[in-house]
């Protein structure tokens, strides 16, 4: 039409019109142009597609044929803002729930993959921070392996080189009858230690077996355990040992640990009180 700037009169009566977005420009031109008179335009009828046959051409709604750039930008910006808010909220308030779900999935996949392989090459996997290695190698290892004869799984000695660290951790936990977590301030600050105790607790909740032993090297205030709400739940329902309270009775500490390693995995079985002192480490009796 732009090539006919002097067009004054247009007669298209009797033509077959296709009513789709390809002809939306023509409808707009018929309605908005002020130079050319289109004869009997209000009686033009659609012939295609079949569901619109007989409908007046100028009654066709062509708004869906055009893209409102402003609206698209508004919706895109609004969605981006909502996504950022949702991610921020999730990271701040639900971070541990997502981490829990992730490692629960890993544990479930491992359990499904190895459900027919129930042999445990180790009696216990020892989860500890590198800063506490002197206690593990100097106190725990000689007592449990050399004197009591238990077969322990340790990071530096028994992890398979070249295998992903999380796969090594999962194999060690599920390949041991029990998991001993050596808890300290350094342990709580370690990302990998946190993942180890989470995988161990997932196995505990999944299998409903008494497979987790908590050993506290230090008295840790309860407020420091607040981010580790699942550990707090374990302390209220699970056996634990306190090394800091066993200074006067070290033999009792090792005897209780031996009993814990010997107890049945069935939680309905005998449940030992392993703490040498009373109450949760770092918690007042009235808490």
């Amino acid at each position: 039409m732009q090539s006919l700037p002097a067009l004054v009169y247009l007669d298209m009566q009797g033509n077959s019109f296709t009513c789709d977005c390809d002809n939306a420009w023509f409808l707009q031109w018929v309605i908005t142009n002020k130079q050319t008179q289109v004869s009997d335009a209000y009686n033009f009828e659609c012939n295609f597609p079949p569901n619109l046959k007989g409908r007046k051409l100028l009654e066709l709604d062509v708004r869906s044929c055009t893209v409102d750039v402003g609206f698209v930008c508004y919706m895109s910006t609004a969605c981006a803002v909502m996504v950022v808010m949702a991610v921020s909220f999730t990271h701040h308030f639900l971070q541990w729930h997502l981490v829990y779900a992730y490692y629960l999935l890993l544990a479930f996949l491992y359990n499904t993959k190895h459900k027919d392989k129930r042999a445990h090459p180790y009696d216990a996997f020892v989860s500890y921070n590198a800063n506490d290695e002197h206690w593990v190698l100097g106190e725990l290892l000689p007592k449990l392996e050399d004197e009591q004869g238990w077969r322990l799984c340790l990071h530096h000695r028994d992890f398979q080189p070249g295998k992903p660290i999380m796969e090594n951790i999962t194999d060690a936990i599920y390949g041991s009858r029990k998991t001993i977590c050596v808890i300290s301030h350094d342990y709580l600050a370690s990302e990998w230690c946190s993942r180890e105790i989470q995988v161990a607790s997932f196995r505990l909740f999944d299998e409903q077996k008494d497979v987790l032993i908590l050993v506290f090297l230090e008295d840790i205030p309860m407020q420091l355990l607040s981010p580790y709400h699942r550990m707090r739940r374990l302390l209220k329902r699970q056996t634990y040992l306190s090394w800091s309270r066993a200074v006067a009775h070290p033999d009792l500490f090792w005897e209780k640990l031996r009993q814990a390693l010997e107890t049945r995995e069935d939680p309905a079985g005998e449940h030992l009180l392993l703490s040498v002192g009373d109450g949760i480490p770092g918690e007042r009796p009235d808490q």
Side-chain angles (χ1 to χ4, degrees), residues 39-138:
S39 176
D40 203 25
Y42 288 97
N43 289 321
F44 293 168
E45 293 184 352
C46 301
N47 197 36
F48 299 101
N51 62 312
L52 295 177
K53 188 173 182 178
R55 185 172 178 179
K56 298 298 183 181
L57 178 64
L58 296 186
E59 293 178 358
L60 187 66
D61 187 0
V62 295
R63 288 176 298 179
S64 60
C65 297
T66 58
V67 178
D68 189 340
V69 177
F71 179 74
V72 171
C73 292
Y74 165 76
M75 291 300 299
S76 301
T77 304
C79 291
V81 170
M82 287 190 292
V83 168
V84 170
M85 293 178 62
V87 171
S88 301
F89 176 86
T90 302
H91 181 269
H92 185 74
F93 294 102
L94 302 177
Q95 178 182 7
W96 290 107
H97 292 78
L98 294 179
V99 172
Y100 176 83
Y102 171 72
Y103 289 115
L104 183 61
L105 176 62
L106 289 182
F108 172 78
L109 294 177
Y110 184 93
N111 194 40
T112 302
K113 180 180 178 181
H114 300 274
K115 60 183 178 181
D116 297 327
K117 303 175 183 179
R118 294 300 183 185
H120 297 111
Y122 301 101
D123 292 303
F125 166 64
V126 183
S127 172
Y128 63 93
N129 183 268
N131 293 328
D132 302 318
E133 190 172 50
H134 63 283
W135 184 85
V136 173
L137 299 182

Side-chain angles (χ1 to χ4, degrees), residues 7-270:
L7 183 62
V8 176
Y9 182 83
L10 177 63
D11 185 357
M12 299 190 67
Q13 297 182 67
N15 283 275
S16 178
F17 292 98
T18 298
C19 296
D20 57 19
C21 290
D22 291 337
N23 288 331
W25 68 271
F26 178 70
L27 272 69
Q28 294 292 340
W29 179 83
V30 170
I31 296 172
T32 61
N33 92 90
K34 299 183 181 301
Q35 177 180 337
T36 306
Q37 178 185 354
V38 182
S39 176
D40 203 25
Y42 288 97
N43 289 321
F44 293 168
E45 293 184 352
C46 301
N47 197 36
F48 299 101
N51 62 312
L52 295 177
K53 188 173 182 178
R55 185 172 178 179
K56 298 298 183 181
L57 178 64
L58 296 186
E59 293 178 358
L60 187 66
D61 187 0
V62 295
R63 288 176 298 179
S64 60
C65 297
T66 58
V67 178
D68 189 340
V69 177
F71 179 74
V72 171
C73 292
Y74 165 76
M75 291 300 299
S76 301
T77 304
C79 291
V81 170
M82 287 190 292
V83 168
V84 170
M85 293 178 62
V87 171
S88 301
F89 176 86
T90 302
H91 181 269
H92 185 74
F93 294 102
L94 302 177
Q95 178 182 7
W96 290 107
H97 292 78
L98 294 179
V99 172
Y100 176 83
Y102 171 72
Y103 289 115
L104 183 61
L105 176 62
L106 289 182
F108 172 78
L109 294 177
Y110 184 93
N111 194 40
T112 302
K113 180 180 178 181
H114 300 274
K115 60 183 178 181
D116 297 327
K117 303 175 183 179
R118 294 300 183 185
H120 297 111
Y122 301 101
D123 292 303
F125 166 64
V126 183
S127 172
Y128 63 93
N129 183 268
N131 293 328
D132 302 318
E133 190 172 50
H134 63 283
W135 184 85
V136 173
L137 299 182
E139 298 284 350
L140 185 70
L141 193 62
K143 281 288 183 180
L144 296 188
E145 279 201 338
D146 299 340
E147 294 187 17
Q148 298 183 10
W150 301 109
R151 173 68 170 144
L152 302 182
C153 178
L154 303 177
H155 307 97
H156 69 280
R157 185 184 67 182
D158 301 303
F159 274 16
Q160 181 177 336
K163 181 183 289 189
I165 183 65
M166 276 309 305
E167 189 174 343
N168 264 322
I169 292 173
T170 306
D171 288 347
I173 290 175
Y174 278 84
S176 305
R177 291 192 307 106
K178 308 258 185 174
T179 295
I180 301 175
C181 295
V182 182
I183 311 297
S184 65
H185 288 86
D186 292 325
Y187 187 96
L188 296 178
S190 170
E191 178 182 357
W192 288 112
C193 292
S194 175
R195 294 182 180 184
E196 289 174 357
I197 194 173
Q198 287 194 44
V199 175
S201 63
F202 301 154
R203 181 190 175 192
L204 171 68
F205 297 139
D206 178 45
E207 298 183 0
Q208 295 297 306
K209 295 179 179 179
D210 189 10
V211 295
L212 186 59
I213 302 172
L214 303 179
V215 175
F216 280 79
L217 290 185
E218 307 162 334
D219 285 338
I220 300 177
M222 284 301 291
Q223 59 266 25
L224 295 183
L225 294 178
S226 295
Y228 310 92
H229 57 280
R230 299 198 177 278
M231 186 182 296
R232 296 182 64 181
R233 288 178 55 190
L234 288 172
L235 289 176
K236 295 181 182 298
R237 56 173 290 187
Q238 195 68 17
T239 54
Y240 71 90
L241 278 161
S242 176
W243 174 252
S244 62
R245 301 182 183 184
V247 177
H249 308 281
D251 293 337
L252 178 61
F253 175 89
W254 297 117
E255 174 60 22
K256 292 295 184 180
L257 186 53
R258 183 190 65 80
Q259 293 178 22
L261 290 171
E262 286 182 346
T263 55
R264 295 189 306 161
E265 295 178 350
D266 184 359
E270 181 182 2

